[in-house]
Amino acid sequence: TGYRYYSFEQLPRLNRILALRDLGFGLEEVGALLDDALTLEELRRSLERRRAEIAALIRAEERRLAGVESQLR
């Protein structure tokens, strides 16, 4: 049926996976970010890198939107 059942102990890890996926991290990145040896600084760098990627995407979409608005005028 596509449903999966998780134990109570698995829920924190599942929530972390879902949060990271929601932030746009790929499965490979999520796997690396779930590594128990990951330091807080490494996590911070990954989040800062993701923020920069999202900001670049927003700028590109804003330029595209300006082009559409120009064509509409």
Side-chain angles (χ1 to χ4, degrees):
T1 62
Y3 290 99
R4 293 189 181 183
Y5 295 94
Y6 298 93
S7 70
F8 182 76
E9 294 79 24
Q10 291 175 302
L11 291 180
R13 184 175 175 89
L14 174 61
N15 285 332
R16 191 169 183 191
I17 291 168
L18 294 174
L20 291 168
R21 291 292 289 148
D22 191 50
L23 293 173
F25 286 99
L27 290 178
E28 188 174 309
E29 293 170 301
V30 168
L33 292 170
L34 291 175
D35 184 359
D36 290 334
L38 185 74
T39 67
L40 185 58
E41 187 57 35
E42 291 169 324
L43 176 59
R44 177 176 292 282
R45 280 195 303 270
S46 292
L47 290 169
E48 288 172 348
R49 185 178 60 249
R50 184 64 189 135
R51 179 177 55 189
E53 291 168 355
I54 292 169
L57 289 171
I58 289 170
R59 287 191 301 273
E61 290 300 315
E62 286 173 339
R63 286 192 299 275
R64 188 172 291 125
L65 178 59
V68 169
E69 288 173 347
S70 174
Q71 292 298 317
L72 286 171
R73 278 184 248 123

